Amino acid sequence: MTIKEFGGTVASVWDGLRPVTKKMLVGAMQASKTAPANNPTPKFSYDAHADWEVSRLLTALDEQSQAPEIRKDTAKLTELNQLADVCVNVLESQSASAEVFIQLATRAIKENDFNRLDKLADRLAERYSASEIAEIVRQTELPQIRAIAYETLAMMPIPNIVPLLDDPLYSGIAAASLEQKAYEFESDEARDILEQFDSEGGLNG
């Protein structure tokens, strides 16, 4: 089955991929068919542009999977979902983007795949910066995702959170995380920083 058989939108996105991204996805697809499911994704070159490309392809695949003509064709739907799963596995193993995390977590919630959601939360703690986690809180509309991001941020070392207090986009998120540290985790350091922040309107003094 060819990409064009998945529909015009998917074909258009695929045609717009860089050759290196196509090669990566084809290699990952072949590996998924020949290797055990629990094997790690093969090593390949990955950058921010690949992140955006694979995320965009996954969006197109998810949209097309709901089309009536696709849902009536079991073989086509199966292959489309296999390619979507490859995109998900690549993004889960490589991405550290707030937008991609929200995309993957939203998919997991819609599919009631809470095991996958737990694994995503683990990767959030392992790989993402404090600012990207704060960006997830800022961007997401789903309370489940916001709760995961807040919990992860509150578990980070205080020096990772403090710089966010000086960023107008994230200061409220950082303060809320420090408040959780101060009162739920009984951190005197977090409480002192919050008091200073509240009294000075920042950490410049």
Side-chain angles (χ1 to χ4, degrees), residues 13 16-18 20-21 48-58:
V13 173
L17 300 180
R18 296 173 301 168
V20 66
T21 304
H49 197 82
D51 204 51
W52 176 81
E53 287 181 312
V54 178
S55 171
R56 188 163 173 257
L57 179 60
L58 178 59

Side-chain angles (χ1 to χ4, degrees), residues 165-166 196-205:
L165 290 170
D166 287 329
Q196 181 183 353
F197 180 72
D198 290 341
S199 64
E200 299 179 4
L203 295 178
N204 299 321

Side-chain angles (χ1 to χ4, degrees), residues 113-183:
D113 190 344
F114 299 110
N115 182 50
R116 173 156 255 153
L117 192 62
D118 286 343
K119 290 179 179 177
L120 283 169
D122 291 341
R123 289 189 179 96
L124 188 66
E126 292 166 4
R127 188 186 305 139
Y128 283 65
S129 67
S131 59
E132 283 295 324
I133 296 172
E135 185 64 17
I136 291 169
V137 174
R138 195 176 77 88
Q139 285 194 29
T140 189
E141 297 178 357
L142 292 179
Q144 303 98 313
I145 298 176
R146 186 175 292 112
I148 290 169
Y150 261 127
E151 185 70 24
T152 304
L153 198 58
M155 295 295 291
M156 297 186 84
I158 288 175
N160 292 25
I161 303 172
V162 167
L164 300 180
L165 290 170
D166 287 329
D167 188 325
L169 282 177
Y170 306 134
S171 58
I173 296 168
S177 297
L178 288 170
E179 186 173 347
Q180 186 174 355
K181 270 188 176 295
Y183 298 105

Side-chain angles (χ1 to χ4, degrees), residues 66-123:
Q66 301 305 311
E69 64 272 19
I70 294 289
R71 299 200 69 81
K72 291 176 185 176
D73 189 329
T74 303
K76 193 177 290 187
L77 180 61
T78 297
E79 289 209 22
L80 187 147
N81 285 335
Q82 285 174 345
L83 181 53
D85 287 342
V86 167
C87 291
V88 168
N89 290 337
V90 168
L91 291 170
E92 284 183 349
S93 67
Q94 299 295 323
S95 183
S97 155
E99 292 83 359
V100 169
F101 182 86
I102 292 169
Q103 179 182 16
L104 296 177
T106 300
R107 286 180 98 255
I109 290 168
K110 285 181 178 178
E111 295 171 1
N112 292 317
D113 190 344
F114 299 110
N115 182 50
R116 173 156 255 153
L117 192 62
D118 286 343
K119 290 179 179 177
L120 283 169
D122 291 341
R123 289 189 179 96

